[in-house]
Amino acid sequence: MRIFNSATAGLFRIGNAVRAKARSSMSGSAEELAAVARKMAPVDEGNLEDAIVVSEAGRGLFGGIKFEVKIDENMPLPEKPGKTVGDYATIMHEQLTPYGPLQLGPASIEKQKTTDVIVGGGFLERAADQVSPSIVRSIHDAIAKVLR
């Protein structure tokens, strides 16, 4: 009976260590994705970039930890009292070039000149496409370190 308890405790410690490493890696990956999305987001006053946030979103499939990168649509616009980022975020994401017919404004055109990514619509999906390959690899590597 004692061997079973010792083995169970060892597996429990390993499981907790794997979960902690995976959580840390997932959090870092979500922050990386948000940073890329901010670089890709169009800019006027900078509110849309500031509204891209990372949050722990409860439990995912099979009870795993889940992080979410999203736009805080309730973020107020200081220069437009009573308005929020949500009043225009969907239009910027879905209708702005390269995803839609609307063109970049002057500040976004200037931003485009200073970055190595395409500024404009679809910034969340495009950031996810760019960062996704490294996310799985980083989580795998973090877990593998625990198991070595």
Side-chain angles (χ1 to χ4, degrees), residues 65-82:
I65 300 159
K66 186 168 96 175
F67 286 88
E68 189 173 66
V69 177
K70 65 179 186 175
I71 298 169
D72 177 0
E73 294 185 2
N74 295 317
M75 184 178 170
L77 301 177
E79 65 281 356
K80 295 180 182 173

Side-chain angles (χ1 to χ4, degrees), residues 83-107:
K83 297 288 187 179
T84 67
V85 170
D87 292 334
Y88 70 92
T90 300
I91 293 169
M92 293 295 99
H93 193 271
E94 303 298 324
Q95 296 298 317
L96 193 61
T97 187
Y99 271 25
L102 301 178
Q103 299 301 307
L104 296 177

Side-chain angles (χ1 to χ4, degrees), residues 42-51 75 79 85 88:
V43 65
D44 185 14
E45 301 290 332
N47 297 310
L48 185 58
E49 294 165 315
D50 292 342
M75 184 178 170
E79 65 281 356
V85 170
Y88 70 92

Side-chain angles (χ1 to χ4, degrees), residues 51-67:
I52 298 172
V53 296
V54 175
S55 62
E56 190 168 335
R59 300 291 176 182
L61 192 60
F62 305 114
I65 300 159
K66 186 168 96 175
F67 286 88

Side-chain angles (χ1 to χ4, degrees), residues 111-144:
K111 179 180 178 179
Q112 180 64 72
K113 293 175 184 177
T114 65
T115 186
D116 57 343
V117 297
I118 296 172
V119 173
F123 49 91
L124 288 172
E125 281 88 358
R126 293 185 298 111
D129 289 345
Q130 180 175 321
V131 175
S132 287
S134 68
I135 290 175
V136 173
R137 190 170 47 254
S138 90
I139 293 168
H140 176 273
D141 292 348
I143 292 169

